Amino acid sequence: MPSEAPGPGPEDPRPTPSREQASAPPPGPTRRRPGGRTARIRTQVLDAVLAELGEHGYDGLTMDAVAARADVHRTTVYRRWGDVGGLLADVLDAATADDWQPPDTGSLESDLTLLNQEIQDALLAEPPIVAALIAASFRSEKAADAQRRLWDDRYARCEITVSRAVRRGELPPGTDARRLLIAATAPMYHQLLLLHTPPDPHLPGRAARTAALAAVAGAFTEPPPAEGDG
Amino acid sequence: MPSEAPGPGPEDPRPTPSREQASAPPPGPTRRRPGGRTARIRTQVLDAVLAELGEHGYDGLTMDAVAARADVHRTTVYRRWGDVGGLLADVLDAATADDWQPPDTGSLESDLTLLNQEIQDALLAEPPIVAALIAASFRSEKAADAQRRLWDDRYARCEITVSRAVRRGELPPGTDARRLLIAATAPMYHQLLLLHTPPDPHLPGRAARTAALAAVAGAFTEPPPAEGDG
């Protein structure tokens, strides 16, 4: 589900992160009705957050507009989510409940290319919801924490990409999966989110190839040379 | 001047980007007084922007607070800078007027490590002015454009680092300097600004080494293999 889960990147939550979560089993078997209602309200509210964020960005996101759009009483929204940061955090947390898995093509470079392609698609999507969520994380500590949890979840799921490559003999044993994954994906965020370089169809593959070449050369297998001496 | 100009990163403007600019030659030789006064006001105002940004962040930055702190009439500030985005853009543009040059240690990996160290220092500085400027660029198109101009200026200045390495025979001829520099520095921004990983003294050197190994392996010398066919 590429558009839904851009690898270790931020979730592109447009399709259904909240619905996904909402369709998870209710909290307990004995209280089906309340569980269902709670989940339904969460779905409505998180969908409304995404829609408002896509239309107006963080600056236009208000508790009242979300409540109105979700057709949920505003006191419910305030009681359950507290503030806009709480809403965004829940959108991001809901995204970790999906069943996204990284690509498995049989080649490290191809796996990383597809992963980067998913990230690029998410960062360039219109409306720019993923970019808006990342921007919001600069302004809300709650959203920032949730964004970090989501990235951590995605990078953790992607570690198997590296262990498969080690098992195939593509990479030296002891390759640090997280460092490799960050090296492969960092240029996507840097170029698309900060430098705003024009969209480049070669970017995902180039960043993937760079990380794969460095990995084969042992960049992620050992501690760096002691700094300060030769 | 490491703390002043973290390589291709955002300027750490605390010391003197505005003063630097203000001390540049006045616009013309015949109107010394107005040139001097204009420059002086700019210095006062941009210094006030940095101080306010450091204390209150973007959300607390107002035209009136800047005018009061700079001891400049508010109508002057409004007339000349328009809005908060205009102030931030001028802070960033002023930073490009310095004489920063990239490190030149005689080794690509060391040059890139020092560059990344400057970026790390700037991104982790207290008060977090560079981080605040980058965060502001998500909210003001003027600030975003100025931030991109600053990065472009820094990356352009750093290209000599790569051409020196090619000349020394460390890198293959035809190595794309910009792509190498982005690969080397992107993990700094990704980890420190987005992932908020705990500060790690090895990070600058590791990111530098990764990019250098990839460069030696030819990651930046040729177009990527055609996608979609073997």
Side-chain angles (χ1 to χ4, degrees):
Chain A
M1 299 179 220
S3 68
E4 191 178 0
E11 200 67 14
D12 177 346
R14 283 175 311 155
T16 50
S18 55
R19 279 177 226 127
E20 190 89 50
Q21 174 77 335
S23 66
T30 54
R31 298 174 62 221
R32 283 175 58 196
R33 181 94 190 287
R37 184 168 176 274
T38 299
R40 179 174 56 74
I41 287 175
R42 189 181 184 212
T43 304
Q44 286 169 225
V45 168
L46 297 191
D47 282 354
V49 172
L50 296 175
E52 289 288 315
L53 197 63
E55 279 176 29
H56 309 296
Y58 181 94
D59 283 311
L61 191 66
T62 67
M63 298 292 277
D64 288 354
V66 167
R69 185 163 202 144
D71 200 16
V72 168
H73 202 285
R74 59 193 290 282
T75 56
T76 303
V77 178
Y78 278 97
R79 195 176 54 236
R80 192 150 155 201
W81 285 275
D83 57 21
V84 163
L87 285 171
L88 293 171
D90 203 29
V91 163
L92 291 158
D93 283 336
T96 64
D98 69 3
D99 57 0
W100 184 85
Q101 291 298 325
D104 182 12
T105 64
S107 139
L108 176 68
E109 189 177 326
S110 302
D111 285 354
L112 296 175
T113 298
L114 290 180
L115 191 61
N116 278 346
Q117 190 65 57
E118 292 189 35
I119 294 172
Q120 175 155 287
D121 291 347
L123 292 177
L124 297 178
E126 283 297 336
I129 288 180
V130 171
L133 285 168
I134 295 175
S137 75
F138 281 100
R139 304 178 57 192
S140 156
E141 202 48 54
K142 279 185 216 170
D145 289 342
Q147 179 72 65
R148 286 195 277 278
R149 284 193 294 275
L150 176 55
W151 264 317
D152 192 59
D153 170 75
R154 289 303 189 247
Y155 280 118
R157 293 193 205 193
C158 286
E159 290 183 1
I160 194 171
T161 301
V162 178
S163 55
R164 283 189 198 119
V166 171
R167 226 174 301 132
R168 285 190 302 261
E170 280 191 77
L171 291 179
T175 297
D176 186 315
R178 190 65 64 105
R179 279 175 53 210
L180 192 167
L181 292 164
I182 288 175
T185 56
M188 307 304 299
Y189 295 98
H190 192 46
Q191 299 218 46
L192 299 174
L193 219 51
L194 298 183
L195 303 180
H196 288 274
T197 47
D200 174 359
H202 294 307
L203 181 58
R206 281 180 168 161
R209 181 163 172 264
T210 298
L213 284 171
V216 167
F220 310 110
T221 48
E222 55 199 301
E227 275 145 48
D229 61 51
Chain B
M1 299 178 218
S3 68
E4 193 179 356
E11 200 67 13
D12 177 345
R14 283 176 309 155
T16 50
S18 54
R19 278 176 227 129
E20 190 89 50
Q21 173 76 335
S23 66
T30 55
R31 298 173 62 218
R32 282 175 58 198
R33 183 98 189 285
R37 184 167 175 275
T38 300
R40 180 174 55 74
I41 287 175
R42 189 181 185 211
T43 305
Q44 286 168 226
V45 168
L46 298 191
D47 282 354
V49 172
L50 296 176
E52 288 288 315
L53 197 62
E55 279 174 29
H56 310 295
Y58 181 94
D59 283 312
L61 191 66
T62 67
M63 298 293 276
D64 288 352
V66 167
R69 184 163 203 145
D71 200 18
V72 167
H73 202 286
R74 59 193 288 282
T75 56
T76 304
V77 178
Y78 278 97
R79 195 177 53 237
R80 194 149 153 202
W81 284 276
D83 57 20
V84 163
L87 285 171
L88 293 171
D90 203 28
V91 162
L92 291 158
D93 284 335
T96 64
D98 69 3
D99 57 0
W100 183 86
Q101 292 297 327
D104 183 13
T105 64
S107 137
L108 176 69
E109 189 176 327
S110 301
D111 286 353
L112 295 176
T113 298
L114 290 180
L115 191 62
N116 278 347
Q117 190 66 57
E118 293 188 35
I119 295 172
Q120 175 153 289
D121 290 347
L123 292 177
L124 297 178
E126 284 296 336
I129 289 180
V130 172
L133 284 169
I134 296 174
S137 75
F138 282 101
R139 303 176 58 192
S140 155
E141 203 46 57
K142 281 186 215 169
D145 288 343
Q147 179 71 65
R148 285 195 279 278
R149 285 193 295 273
L150 176 54
W151 264 316
D152 193 58
D153 171 75
R154 289 303 189 246
Y155 280 118
R157 294 194 204 193
C158 286
E159 290 182 1
I160 194 171
T161 300
V162 178
S163 54
R164 283 189 197 119
V166 171
R167 227 175 301 133
R168 285 191 301 262
E170 281 191 77
L171 291 179
T175 297
D176 185 316
R178 190 64 65 104
R179 279 174 53 210
L180 193 167
L181 292 164
I182 288 175
T185 56
M188 307 304 298
Y189 294 98
H190 192 46
Q191 298 219 45
L192 299 174
L193 219 52
L194 298 184
L195 302 181
H196 288 274
T197 46
D200 174 358
H202 294 309
L203 181 58
R206 281 179 167 163
R209 181 162 173 264
T210 297
L213 284 171
V216 168
F220 310 110
T221 48
E222 56 199 302
E227 275 146 45
D229 62 50

